Amino acid sequence: MAGIAGFAMLAFYSSLVVAFQVIPILWPARQPDLGIDFGLPGVDTNAPEHANIEERINIVVLGLDQRRDEPDDTPSRTDSVMILTMDPFSKTGGAFSIPRDTWLDIPDGYGGYTTDRINVAYEMGEYTYKGYPGGGAGLVKDTIEYNFNIPIDYYILLNFNNFIDLIDELGGIEIDVPEYAYDPAYNDCNECYYYPVEFLEGPEQMDGERALAYARIRASDNDFKRIERQQLVVKATARKAADLGTVFTNALDLYKQYKNAVKTDISDLQIPGLADLAQQVGPDNIRTVSMAEATYSCGSACPGAVLLWNKAKVEELKARVFSEAAFADDNATVQILNGTEVPDLAHYVETLIGGRGITSDRVRTDELLDGPLYDRTLIVSLDGKEFTAEQLAEWLDLPATRVVTADDPEASEFLNSSSDVVVVLGADVDLTGLEAGNTSLQEPNTGG
C-alpha cells in the first residue's frame, strides 16, 4: 500500500510538471487551478502581472481586397492590416491598425529591401517573390517586425466572402454608429451594379453584407475613418461572440467549418487555448489604436497616395496597446523639469517615456532656461499616483529614496505644479534604461 501511495504521489507530481510546462504552449491562457502554490521544483505557478511585447500573443489579421466573384487564388492586395494582441497574464487585449498606404521597407528574400505600401506586401510574397518563407503572410509578418519591432506569432487571412459568413454565423452584430457615413456608388464584386449605401448615427443591427459595407466604405471621409469603423466591427464581433459563448464553447467546431476558407497558421491544438484567452480578455478590455495619427502625406515626392510616418509617434501609439496596461488605470499627468545644462533634455525624455506608454497629452515639459540647476535627479509624487512615480524611477535607474511625496521637505519647491508627478532631471540623470529599444530617436545636443 505504501508503494502504491508513493507511486500515486510521484505520478501526480509528474503530471503537475507536465501540465505547467506543456499547457502554456498548447493553451496559452490556461493554468491548472490548484488553489495552492506547492513550491515544488519544475512547477511554477507565479506569472508576471503583464507581458512584454515578446511574451504577448500577436496575430495579424489581413483583409484581402478580393471581390466576391473572384477565385480564391486571384492576386489581391490587403484592404486592411490589423494586429490583434492579447496579454496572457493581465488578460487584456488590443487592436493596432496600420493604414494600407503606409510606406515601408519590405524584405526581398535575399537580404535586401524594397520600399512600397504595406498593402502590396502580401501580394509580393505570394507572386513576386515566389518561394518566400511563409508566402505572402510570411512577408507581411517580417515587414511588420522589421519596421515596427512587433513580433507576429500568427496570421489570419479573410476575403469578403469569409467575412460575410463569419458575421452571419454569429447572427449579425450590433454597432452604435458614431457618425454618418455614405458611399453613392458601392459594390463588392466585379459583375455587380453600383448602389448607394448610407449609415445613420445610432445603433444598427447588421448582417454580414451590411457590416462588410460599413467596414469598407470611405467615400464620405477617408481611410483613417474607415480604420475606425473596422475597429468598431472587430469589437462588435468580439462582444457578440462573448455574449453567445461561441468563442469558448464552439471554437474548434467553428474553426473546422472555416479552415478550408480562412487561411491561418494557427493549429487545431492551439485554437481552444486562444479562444479561452479571448473569452477571459473580453471585448471591454480591448484597446483600439490606429497608426494613422503618426502618418503624414508624402505629397508629390512619392508615387500615388503614400503615407510616411513618424517613428517616435509610432512608438507612443504602440505603447498604448503593447505596453503596461496599468498606465491606463493610473492615468497620471507628468511634468518634466530640465535641471541640467543639456539643451532640450526634458523634451527628449518626454519622447522616451511616450514610447513606454505615458502619452504626450499627459506630459508637460520645462527646460528651465536660465533657471536652477540640480545635482540629483528626483521624482516627486504629489497626488498618490505611485505606480507612475515608481515606474519612472525604475526607468531612470533611481533608488526608492529618490521618490518623494508632497510632505517631504525636498518636494516643497515643486508643490505648485498642476501635474500628479514631477520629474526633476539632475546632473546625475541616467537615461540608459529609457533609451533601450528607442535607438531610432534623435538624442539631444549635448554641446560636446
Side-chain angles (χ1 to χ4, degrees), residues 20-340:
F20 277 94
Q21 290 178 349
V22 174
I23 285 180
I25 298 174
L26 298 182
W27 295 281
R30 182 65 65 83
Q31 289 285 350
D33 185 12
L34 305 177
I36 185 172
D37 183 357
F38 286 90
L40 299 173
V43 178
D44 180 14
T45 59
N46 297 316
E49 289 186 20
H50 304 285
N52 60 38
I53 196 167
E54 299 288 341
E55 296 167 325
R56 300 178 73 94
I57 299 167
N58 300 321
I59 304 170
V60 61
V61 181
L62 304 172
L64 282 184
D65 189 11
Q66 190 176 80
R67 307 293 157 162
R68 297 183 63 188
D69 52 358
E70 290 179 336
D72 289 343
D73 59 354
T74 302
S76 303
R77 297 181 177 185
T78 48
D79 209 32
S80 62
V81 180
M82 183 183 296
I83 302 168
L84 298 179
T85 182
M86 292 186 286
D87 184 336
F89 303 135
S90 66
K91 306 301 187 292
T92 56
F96 185 76
S97 295
I98 304 173
R100 66 177 192 170
D101 293 324
T102 304
W103 195 251
L104 301 177
D105 293 324
I106 301 175
D108 63 7
Y110 299 99
Y113 296 86
T114 184
T115 52
D116 212 322
R117 303 172 185 84
I118 192 173
N119 71 330
V120 306
Y122 177 80
E123 187 179 29
M124 290 172 66
E126 289 288 301
Y127 303 100
T128 306
Y129 303 142
K130 288 188 177 181
Y132 190 91
L139 184 54
V140 173
K141 286 182 177 182
D142 292 345
T143 298
I144 291 173
E145 181 162 10
Y146 179 77
N147 287 272
F148 304 120
N149 198 28
I150 302 174
I152 303 297
D153 301 297
Y154 309 107
Y155 77 89
I156 296 175
L157 188 69
L158 295 168
N159 60 26
F160 292 172
N161 289 322
N162 304 148
F163 179 93
I164 290 171
D165 290 343
L166 174 63
I167 300 299
D168 286 345
E169 182 67 26
L170 291 173
I173 57 176
E174 182 172 313
I175 294 179
D176 190 359
V177 178
E179 57 186 340
Y180 179 78
Y182 176 71
D183 189 337
Y186 172 82
N187 80 349
D188 54 21
C189 59
N190 291 317
E191 302 300 326
C192 301
Y193 291 107
Y194 289 93
Y195 59 94
V197 292
E198 69 173 351
F199 296 87
L200 304 179
E201 184 177 338
E204 179 179 336
Q205 179 71 21
M206 301 183 189
D207 62 10
E209 288 194 35
R210 183 75 171 163
L212 176 65
Y214 185 67
R216 290 190 62 232
I217 65 170
R218 58 174 178 166
S220 59
D221 37 55
N222 52 49
D223 197 42
F224 300 157
K225 287 292 184 180
R226 176 165 66 173
I227 287 175
E228 293 177 8
R229 287 191 285 271
Q230 290 170 352
Q231 292 179 337
L232 287 175
V233 170
V234 168
K235 274 198 166 185
T237 304
R239 184 171 290 107
K240 181 62 177 289
D243 289 344
L244 294 175
T246 303
V247 169
F248 180 56
T249 58
N250 300 325
L252 195 54
D253 290 339
L254 281 174
Y255 174 71
K256 288 178 179 178
Q257 179 179 353
Y258 289 112
K259 68 181 298 183
N260 292 328
V262 179
K263 289 186 178 181
T264 182
D265 55 354
I266 302 174
S267 73
D268 290 351
L269 290 175
Q270 292 166 315
I271 284 293
L274 288 174
D276 191 1
L277 176 58
Q279 187 199 43
Q280 293 178 61
V281 169
D284 294 329
N285 289 319
I286 298 176
R287 286 178 286 174
T288 58
V289 172
S290 169
M291 207 188 90
E293 191 177 334
T295 64
Y296 56 95
S297 174
C298 181
S300 59
C302 297
V306 167
L307 294 175
L308 303 182
W309 45 287
N310 181 287
K311 291 184 179 181
K313 187 63 177 180
V314 168
E315 289 300 316
E316 179 182 318
L317 295 173
K318 276 173 53 184
R320 297 181 191 178
V321 176
F322 299 99
S323 193
E324 291 92 342
F327 280 130
D329 300 325
D330 189 319
N331 205 33
T333 55
V334 178
Q335 182 180 27
I336 305 172
L337 305 179
N338 181 7
T340 76

Side-chain angles (χ1 to χ4, degrees), residues 303-414:
V306 167
L307 294 175
L308 303 182
W309 45 287
N310 181 287
K311 291 184 179 181
K313 187 63 177 180
V314 168
E315 289 300 316
E316 179 182 318
L317 295 173
K318 276 173 53 184
R320 297 181 191 178
V321 176
F322 299 99
S323 193
E324 291 92 342
F327 280 130
D329 300 325
D330 189 319
N331 205 33
T333 55
V334 178
Q335 182 180 27
I336 305 172
L337 305 179
N338 181 7
T340 76
E341 295 180 342
V342 180
D344 300 321
L345 187 62
H347 176 69
Y348 179 61
V349 172
E350 177 191 11
T351 304
L352 290 174
I353 67 175
R356 298 298 185 97
I358 304 180
T359 54
S360 59
D361 59 308
R362 293 160 46 193
V363 180
R364 295 189 302 122
T365 62
D366 189 340
E367 301 296 344
L368 296 181
L369 299 177
D370 300 322
L373 298 177
Y374 296 89
D375 293 326
R376 302 194 324 147
T377 300
L378 191 69
I379 308 292
V380 183
S381 177
L382 297 175
D383 199 26
K385 305 288 187 175
E386 302 303 328
F387 177 87
T388 295
E390 292 172 3
Q391 186 65 74
L392 285 164
E394 179 182 330
W395 290 338
L396 293 169
D397 198 22
L398 295 173
T401 54
R402 295 288 190 92
V403 180
V404 300
T405 55
D407 56 356
D408 191 289
E410 282 194 282
S412 59
E413 64 180 296
F414 309 109

